Amino acid sequence: MPLPTKSISVFDTPIEYLKGVGSQRAVALGKDLNIHTFKDLLYFYPFRYVDRTRIYKIKEINAELPYIQVCGKITHVEITGPKRRQRMEADLEDDTGRIQLVWFQGINWVSKKMRPDAAYIVFGKPSVFKGKFTISHPSMEEMTKENLEIVKGLQPVYSTTEMLKSKGLESNGILRLERELLSKIEDEITETLPTYMVEKLRLMPRKEALKNIHLPTSIEKLNQAQFRLKFEELFYMQLRLLRNKTEREVTVKGFVFSKVDQYVNDFYHRYLPFPLTEAQKRVIREIRQDMGSGKQMNRLLQGDVGSGKTLVALLCMLIAIDNGFQCCMMAPTEILAMQHYATLKESLKDMPVRISLITGSKKETERKIIHEELENGQMQIVVGTHALIEDRVKFSNLGLVIIDEQHRFGVNQRARLWQKSSPAPHVLVMTATPIPRTLAMTLYGDIDTSVIDEMPPGRIPIKTVHKYDSKRSEVFSFIKKELQKGRQAYVIYPFIEESENSDIENLIEGYEEIQKAFPANTVGMVHGRVKLAERERTMAKFVANQIQILVATTVIEVGVNVPNASIILIESAQKFGLSQLHQLRGRVGRSTHQSYCILMTPYERGADAKARISIMVATNDGFEISEEDLRLRGPGDMMGTQQSGVLDLKIANLAKDSSILRQARIIASEILSEDRSLASEKNHVLAEQLKQIQQEKADWSRIS
Ligand code: ADP
Ligand code: MG
C-alpha cells in the first residue's frame, strides 16, 4: 500500500544534519529536550532573557548590582583546600581594577578550559567576600569576535540538562545552534496568519518574530516577538475549539425540550424551598434555552461551593421529565451520590417522580429491578456513581445527563455515558472547583459555560484564621464553646497517599487526642481505609448529630452537606493545595450560624505554603482563589489539565497571558461568525493551519 504522501519541508530535516550537531548530540537533544527536527529546534524557545546590553568596568562594581558582565584577563589561578572540598579562585583584571572569581564545583572542568592571560567575558552576580568583590560560578566566554556578538545584548537562556552540557550544549551552545539554524532556514519561514490579521493587529511578521525570539535585537522587538507568537498560539487554540463547537452545533442534533409543564410548575409553585437567587434563575434560563434549541447541550455550570447548584440541577431534570425524558445524575463518590439522592428524594417527596440510586455497593437484586425500570422507562431519575456507566445500565429515553464535580471523571467515562442515548442526551457538567477564566476558556473552550456568581441570601461569611500548632489548646477551648452552643466540627488531617503510614498514624493519634480533649462529645473518624459501609454509617451519625466531631481526611472534601457543622479545623494545612483547602472550608458556612475555618500549621513552613494560607485567610471567593492557585502553581498541576493538552503551550502562559487569550478568542469567534467553515480566500491560511494542527493533536477537546 502506498504511504500517504506528506510534503517534506526543510523544517522536517532531522536535527542531526544541522551543522554543529552530528549524531551524538542529536540523540541527546532528542532524548532530553524532545528536539528531533529543525522545526523542533526552531520552536524551542528561551525560557528567559538576561540583559547583557552593558559591559561594566570593574571599578563600577558594587555588591548591590544584579547580574552584570565584565571583560578582562585572567591573571592568576589557584586551587586550594582538601580534595573533597576544593575551591578555585581566579583573578580577573581590566584596565580599572581586579575582582575575584570563585568556584566550588566543577573545578576540574573549569580549570582545564581556562587559559591564563586570555581575555574573557564574565557574567554573574557580584558579592563581597572577605572585603573583595567576588563572583562565584560566573558564566564565562572567551572574548572572541563571535562570542562578543553572541553575548552582547539581550541574551536568551535555554533550559538544558547535565547530559547536554557534557556535550557542549549549555545554554550558549544551544543558542549557537539556533543561530546556525536561523541563518539556514530563515528564508523558508512563511507567514501563518492571514495578511489582514497581521496588518489589523499590527503583529510582527512570523519570520521576524522567530528571529527575535532567539536573537532579540532590543527589548521592544523581543516584546513584539513574544506577543506575536503567544497570540498565534492562543488564537489557533481558540479557533480550533470554537470551530469544533460550531461544527457540533450544526451537525449534532439534540432532543428538543419544547415545554415547561406540570412537573416544573408544580414544584416551582408548591415545593420550592426558597426563592431562587437571580444567578440561579439566569442559569436555568440559559440551560432551558439550550435544551429547547434543537442542538445538543454541552454546558459547564460553575458555581462556588454552596452556591446552590443542586437546586438548578433539580429544576433542569424536571424540565426533561416534563418533556417525557429520563435523567441521570452522576457523582464521583458514593457518599456524594447518596447525598444527592437523599436531597432529591426529599425535595420530590410529594411529587409523583420515580427516582433511584445506583452505586457499586447496591445489592444485585435491587439493581436488577432498577435496571428494568430504567429500560422500560418507568424510572425517571437515577442518581449514582460511575456504576451508571456500566453497559448493562440501559435507558428507554435518556434526555439529560448531569455530572457533578466533573474533574473526577475521565473523558472516556463521560463519553460512555452520553452514548447511552441517540441522539446524545443533553449534558450539564457541574463543578464546585471554580476554574480560572483562562483555564475555562481552554479546557472548556468548546462548550458553553454558565456561572452562578451569587450566594443564597443570609449566609454569614466564614471566618478563616491561621494558628500555629503551639496554640492547639487555645483552639480546642474555642471549639468546645461552639460545641456547647450545639454546633458540630470537622477536624481534617492530610492523607496524601493511601500507603503513607505516617499520615494514618497522625490521623489516629489526633483522633485519640481529640477524644481525650472532648470527653463530653462523641467523636467519629472516616478515612480512605475505613470500609465504605462503616464510613457511611459514621457520616450518617454525623448528619444526625449523634457524632459532634468528625475526624477525617479529604474523603469528605467534596459536596458533603451538614449545615449544623460550623467549624472546620485543618491540621497540617501547609500540606494541602489551595483548591483543596477551599473545598474543605466549603463544608462549613452552610447555615445561618457563624462558621469558622482554622488552618493549623507548624511554625516552619515553605514560602508557597505561607502564600496559600494567607490567600485563604484573605478571601472566601473561590474564583479569586482559583486565579491565585493558577498563578502559584501554573496550569500544569491544576485539576484536569493533564489530560487536556493545555500543557502543549510552547510560549503562552495561562496565568500571565489572560488578556492575549481573551483577545485571541474574540477574534477567532468574529472570524468564525463571518466564515464558519473558513472557506473564503482570505482565510485560506487559517484553514490550512488548522488542518495541520488538527493532525498533530489528539482530539482532547471534547468534554462529553
Ligand atoms: P453546591 O452549589 O455547593 O452544590 P448546594 O446545592 O448543596 O450547593 O446548596 C447549598 C445550600 O444552599 C443547600 O443547603 C441548599 O438547600 C441551599 N440553597 C440553594 N439555593 C438556595 C436559595 N436560592 N436560597 C437559599 N438557600 C439555598
Ligand atoms: Mg454540590
Side-chain angles (χ1 to χ4, degrees):
M1 221 168 46
L3 289 167
T5 48
K6 204 179 149 202
S7 62
I8 303 284
S9 79
V10 62
F11 296 99
D12 295 320
T13 314
I15 196 66
E16 177 180 352
Y17 300 119
L18 184 69
K19 193 172 144 213
V21 179
S23 59
Q24 276 198 14
R25 284 175 162 185
V27 171
L29 282 168
K31 219 160 126 191
D32 285 12
L33 298 178
N34 218 5
I35 294 174
H36 304 280
T37 62
F38 282 13
K39 187 165 71 184
D40 295 338
L41 182 64
L42 184 63
Y43 296 156
F44 185 69
Y45 301 141
F47 71 94
R48 67 184 168 92
Y49 299 82
V50 180
D51 187 356
R52 295 178 75 164
T53 40
R54 177 156 179 214
I55 292 176
Y56 280 77
K57 291 289 176 195
I58 287 178
K59 72 162 192 237
E60 293 178 286
I61 293 178
N62 67 61
E64 307 300 302
L65 283 173
Y67 282 79
I68 56 155
Q69 66 186 342
V70 288
C71 284
K73 271 192 177 146
I74 296 290
T75 52
H76 175 80
V77 181
E78 191 177 326
I79 298 177
T80 57
K83 191 120 188 84
R84 279 162 177 282
R85 302 185 47 201
Q86 270 182 344
R87 158 188 177 93
M88 176 166 119
E89 297 173 358
D91 287 341
L92 181 85
E93 278 184 30
D94 69 3
D95 49 11
T96 67
R98 177 194 299 166
I99 53 164
Q100 194 172 58
L101 311 176
V102 186
W103 289 263
F104 307 98
Q105 275 162 6
I107 290 172
N108 258 341
W109 191 67
V110 181
S111 65
K112 252 185 237 150
K113 267 185 48 174
M114 187 140 48
R115 294 187 294 114
D117 281 335
Y120 289 92
I121 309 157
V122 172
F123 178 77
K125 166 100 183 76
S127 59
V128 184
F129 183 71
K130 288 191 182 159
K132 280 192 228 170
F133 284 117
T134 304
I135 298 180
S136 24
H137 286 265
S139 93
M140 291 178 68
E141 301 281 339
E142 234 179 290
M143 194 154 69
T144 60
K145 212 165 160 229
E146 192 211 356
N147 279 340
L148 263 180
E149 255 317 287
I150 288 188
V151 301
K152 89 168 182 223
L154 282 166
Q155 192 172 6
V157 183
Y158 295 88
S159 48
T160 177
T161 62
E162 287 308 314
M163 164 76 141
L164 287 164
K165 280 187 198 164
S166 76
K167 296 194 182 318
L169 291 179
E170 15 33 86
S171 175
N172 274 342
I174 294 173
L175 177 59
R176 274 194 199 93
L177 297 184
E178 299 285 4
R179 244 174 205 281
E180 171 64 25
L181 178 69
L182 278 162
S183 72
K184 214 168 160 143
I185 59 164
E186 194 179 318
D187 293 336
E188 313 275 334
I189 297 175
T190 50
E191 186 48 70
T192 42
L193 289 171
T195 324
Y196 75 91
M197 279 181 75
V198 175
E199 280 169 7
K200 196 169 143 209
L201 299 165
R202 297 188 190 186
L203 297 172
M204 183 181 258
R206 183 153 176 271
K207 180 156 114 184
E208 211 184 325
L210 284 168
K211 264 176 83 172
N212 272 284
I213 207 75
H214 293 294
L215 312 165
T217 47
S218 70
I219 293 201
E220 204 189 353
K221 292 255 190 228
L222 174 62
N223 287 341
Q224 287 173 11
Q226 285 176 323
F227 182 86
R228 148 78 209 217
L229 295 173
K230 285 176 176 185
F231 178 85
E232 174 174 354
E233 182 165 52
L234 295 170
F235 170 77
Y236 274 110
M237 169 174 85
Q238 290 301 319
L239 191 66
R240 186 162 57 93
L241 291 168
L242 288 170
R243 200 179 57 166
N244 287 350
K245 176 168 182 276
T246 33
E247 285 300 308
R248 197 176 56 223
E249 281 166 7
V250 174
T251 53
V252 181
K253 292 269 164 295
F255 298 117
V256 181
F257 294 179
S258 56
K259 57 185 176 191
V260 159
D261 214 336
Q262 196 79 34
Y263 283 99
V264 172
N265 285 329
D266 241 23
F267 181 79
Y268 196 85
H269 296 296
R270 296 174 61 186
Y271 306 116
L272 193 66
F274 19 62
L276 298 175
T277 62
E278 285 308 312
Q280 284 171 320
K281 283 186 203 161
R282 172 174 39 86
V283 164
I284 291 170
R285 266 199 307 275
E286 286 165 359
I287 295 169
R288 222 188 105 188
Q289 198 166 24
D290 269 8
M291 297 193 302
S293 69
K295 63 175 191 176
Q296 182 230 3
M297 174 170 76
N298 260 286
R299 191 170 276 277
L300 174 74
L301 174 57
Q302 284 205 73
D304 211 341
V305 269
S307 59
K309 292 183 290 293
T310 320
L311 194 54
V312 170
L314 172 56
L315 277 156
C316 295
M317 290 196 276
L318 292 176
I319 296 174
I321 294 172
D322 263 341
N323 287 275
F325 286 92
Q326 296 170 297
C327 313
C328 91
M329 182 163 179
M330 185 159 81
T333 66
E334 191 133 2
I335 293 184
L336 261 184
M338 284 178 16
Q339 197 169 298
H340 276 313
Y341 172 69
T343 311
L344 295 176
K345 206 165 162 64
E346 172 64 25
S347 309
L348 297 171
K349 66 177 188 294
D350 297 317
M351 290 185 55
V353 177
R354 291 218 24 95
I355 169 167
S356 63
L357 175 72
I358 290 189
T359 64
S361 60
K362 195 111 191 169
K363 281 208 200 74
E364 270 309 306
T365 44
E366 288 175 54
R367 268 190 79 158
K368 255 212 166 116
I369 299 170
I370 301 173
H371 287 171
E372 270 170 32
E373 287 197 29
L374 282 172
E375 214 167 336
N376 70 26
Q378 277 178 306
M379 188 63 72
Q380 290 158 297
I381 297 177
V382 61
V383 181
T385 55
H386 47 262
L388 287 172
I389 294 173
E390 289 170 27
D391 288 334
R392 59 197 177 127
V393 181
K394 296 193 182 75
F395 292 85
S396 149
N397 57 350
L398 179 62
L400 171 64
V401 171
I402 294 178
I403 303 177
D404 195 17
E405 313 295 355
Q406 175 275 334
H407 59 258
R408 304 227 165 173
F409 293 103
V411 175
N412 293 340
Q413 287 176 314
R414 298 194 297 255
R416 279 179 65 187
L417 244 185
W418 76 299
Q419 280 156 10
K420 288 182 187 288
S421 173
S422 176
H426 295 299
V427 178
L428 181 69
V429 169
M430 306 197 294
T431 167
T433 311
I435 303 164
R437 280 188 312 274
T438 53
L439 264 190
M441 267 189 257
T442 47
L443 281 174
Y444 304 109
D446 63 339
I447 65 169
D448 298 296
T449 54
S450 292
V451 180
I452 306 185
D453 50 8
E454 177 190 359
M455 285 289 176
R459 292 278 165 77
I460 304 171
I462 302 163
K463 284 194 180 141
T464 304
V465 292
H466 169 223
K467 293 278 171 192
Y468 293 120
D469 289 337
S470 52
K471 294 279 157 70
R472 180 166 279 103
S473 62
E474 192 184 292
V475 168
F476 279 5
S477 39
F478 176 76
I479 296 177
K480 222 167 262 174
K481 276 198 209 116
E482 289 299 303
L483 295 182
Q484 275 159 10
K485 290 185 206 159
R487 303 286 84 76
Q488 289 164 277
Y490 295 97
V491 179
I492 308 298
Y493 280 83
F495 195 46
I496 314 322
E497 282 282 329
E498 291 290 316
S499 57
E500 266 199 44
N501 281 321
S502 65
D503 277 344
I504 197 102
E505 277 162 24
N506 287 342
L507 174 75
I508 289 169
E509 235 169 67
Y511 172 61
E512 284 163 0
E513 186 184 350
I514 284 170
Q515 279 182 316
K516 272 195 211 107
F518 296 87
N521 299 104
T522 313
V523 185
M525 176 165 69
V526 292
H527 56 79
R529 284 192 198 169
V530 173
K531 284 231 178 64
L532 201 66
E534 193 188 328
R535 226 195 283 173
E536 270 148 19
R537 266 199 303 279
T538 310
M539 282 308 301
K541 280 189 194 161
F542 189 61
V543 172
N545 199 359
Q546 290 158 3
I547 287 174
Q548 288 79 45
I549 304 178
L550 187 66
V551 177
T553 61
T554 49
V555 293
I556 62 124
E557 183 184 331
V558 282
V560 174
N561 186 26
V562 183
N564 189 48
S566 69
I567 293 191
I568 185 158
L569 167 61
I570 303 177
E571 293 276 356
S572 303
Q574 78 281 2
K575 292 192 182 172
F576 294 86
L578 257 184
S579 60
Q580 228 175 2
L581 288 173
H582 181 63
Q583 278 298 319
L584 286 168
R585 177 167 61 184
R587 294 317 101 218
V588 299
R590 302 184 150 252
S591 68
T592 48
H593 305 297
Q594 174 65 57
S595 289
Y596 303 89
C597 171
I598 305 163
L599 304 170
M600 198 95 115
T601 74
Y603 190 71
E604 291 294 337
R605 62 214 187 283
D608 272 7
K610 263 185 200 159
R612 289 196 294 272
I613 306 266
S614 46
I615 291 162
M616 284 296 292
V617 172
T619 180
N620 272 320
D621 182 331
F623 284 93
E624 209 176 312
I625 288 172
S626 74
E627 299 283 351
E628 292 291 338
D629 204 14
L630 176 63
R631 205 172 50 77
L632 283 176
R633 286 197 293 168
D637 294 323
M638 305 255 321
M639 217 91 77
T641 53
Q642 284 83 357
Q643 62 187 12
S644 71
V646 171
L647 296 182
D648 294 350
L649 289 176
K650 284 194 164 57
I651 185 163
N653 177 322
L654 292 180
K656 294 184 186 144
D657 299 323
S658 58
S659 73
I660 308 179
L661 175 59
R662 267 194 295 276
Q663 193 185 359
R665 185 168 173 94
I666 291 169
I667 289 166
S669 148
E670 279 169 6
I671 290 173
L672 287 170
S673 68
E674 196 185 279
D675 181 10
R676 179 169 67 81
S677 48
L678 302 174
S680 74
E681 185 52 39
K682 66 173 188 174
N683 288 331
H684 183 68
V685 184
L686 296 179
E688 280 302 304
Q689 279 298 113
L690 262 195
K691 208 158 85 192
Q692 207 172 328
I693 295 170
Q694 209 89 291
Q695 276 167 3
E696 283 167 15
K697 297 203 184 219
D699 187 9
W700 50 263
S701 53
R702 240 192 189 167
I703 148 163
S704 56

